[in-house]
Amino acid sequence: MAQGRSAVTSSFGWPLRLGASPALLLVTLLMAVCLVSALAVITTSHLTRDQYARLQELEREQQQLQTEWGQLLLEESAWSSPARIERLAQERLEMRLPDIDEVEVIQP
């Protein structure tokens, strides 16, 4: 009976054998490499989506800042217009343009 049982167990193969064949090791190694590769693809895809979302956010912020910069340039040109400066000088500082006989030219 013992002989018959050992003949049956050895004919089943892999689950009952203790030693692993080189083909089994190769298949296991290839499966592990495929799993690692799949995880790398998933991670890279996720990071790419995150970076693209950040890029869109930064582009939106750049557009907003560009608009604000244009508004500030318009405001600066309005505040520094020569007509406004002259009007403020007359109103607040009581300045006026001198008459022609009040002008003196100084030679160096």
Side-chain angles (χ1 to χ4, degrees):
M1 179 100 168
Q3 269 186 347
R5 186 171 198 180
S6 84
V8 171
T9 20
S10 65
S11 67
F12 280 114
W14 174 71
L16 302 176
R17 266 189 320 177
L18 294 179
S21 69
L24 180 61
L25 289 175
L26 181 63
V27 168
T28 305
L29 179 66
L30 288 175
M31 287 178 61
V33 168
C34 285
L35 180 64
V36 169
S37 175
L39 290 175
V41 167
I42 292 169
T43 303
T44 303
S45 298
H46 177 68
L47 291 176
T48 301
R49 283 190 204 105
D50 281 348
Q51 292 297 322
Y52 186 69
R54 178 73 175 138
L55 173 66
Q56 287 181 329
E57 180 183 323
L58 289 174
E59 285 176 344
R60 191 171 35 254
E61 183 180 349
Q62 178 194 17
Q63 185 64 34
Q64 181 183 1
L65 290 173
Q66 193 71 22
T67 303
E68 185 179 348
W69 175 251
Q71 291 172 348
L72 288 173
L73 285 177
L74 286 173
E75 186 178 343
E76 179 189 25
S77 67
W79 283 100
S80 65
S81 70
R84 181 180 177 279
I85 301 291
E86 186 176 346
R87 182 178 50 80
L88 288 175
Q90 288 173 353
E91 291 174 0
R92 292 186 184 171
L93 303 175
E94 298 177 2
M95 297 176 81
R96 63 177 176 79
L97 286 174
D99 291 333
I100 193 75
D101 56 336
E102 294 176 338
V103 176
E104 292 184 25
V105 179
I106 301 175
Q107 296 293 329

